[in-house]
Amino acid sequence: MSDIPGYLRTCLNTGKLLSLAILVSGGIVLQILACVLYNNWWPMLSVLTYVLLPMPLLFFAGSNDSIFSESDNSWVNFTKFLTGASTVGGIAIPSILKHAGVIGWGAFAMELSSYFVFGMTVICYLWMSDEDEYSIL
């Protein structure tokens, strides 16, 4: 990408950032629609996992360690465990609510599609940060 002019590189990076913003907005809209369309606000409980998911990475992982590399540091391993547990909670909470009969199939499907959209956003961000100078992981 070094042979592309600076103004075109800036335009491409802005487009990537815009696509990430659209994906996040779509996930938020699906999350809210799962509650509003079925007049039941229990599906908002899974928002807790979206808020808590990055917390272990922010508090325990060092800035010089990658979350994808193997480490002998117990704090980094504990961080990976907490992040994985929060990720599973994003799927488990709507599943438990559906099993208990608190939410219907429509709200459950919207919750899982919102989770999928947020997951795709994270994957796209990680893919973009590997090839750009935005990298924080």
Side-chain angles (χ1 to χ4, degrees), residues 35-117:
C35 299
V36 171
L37 290 179
Y38 299 99
N39 198 20
N40 186 356
W41 289 92
W42 277 104
M44 271 301 184
L45 191 61
S46 64
V47 170
L48 282 173
T49 60
Y50 301 145
V51 172
L52 294 177
L53 186 65
M55 293 303 164
L57 288 171
L58 292 175
F59 293 141
F60 297 120
S63 60
N64 56 357
D65 293 331
S66 174
I67 60 170
F68 300 117
S69 64
E70 291 188 25
S71 173
D72 291 334
N73 187 354
S74 61
W75 286 110
V76 173
N77 291 333
F78 183 63
T79 299
K80 291 176 185 178
F81 172 76
L82 286 178
T83 304
S86 297
T87 303
V88 170
I91 297 173
I93 290 174
S95 300
I96 291 169
L97 290 174
K98 174 61 187 117
H99 181 72
V102 176
I103 63 173
W105 281 107
F108 178 70
M110 283 188 174
E111 283 288 318
L112 290 184
S113 61
S114 170
Y115 182 80
F116 177 72
V117 169

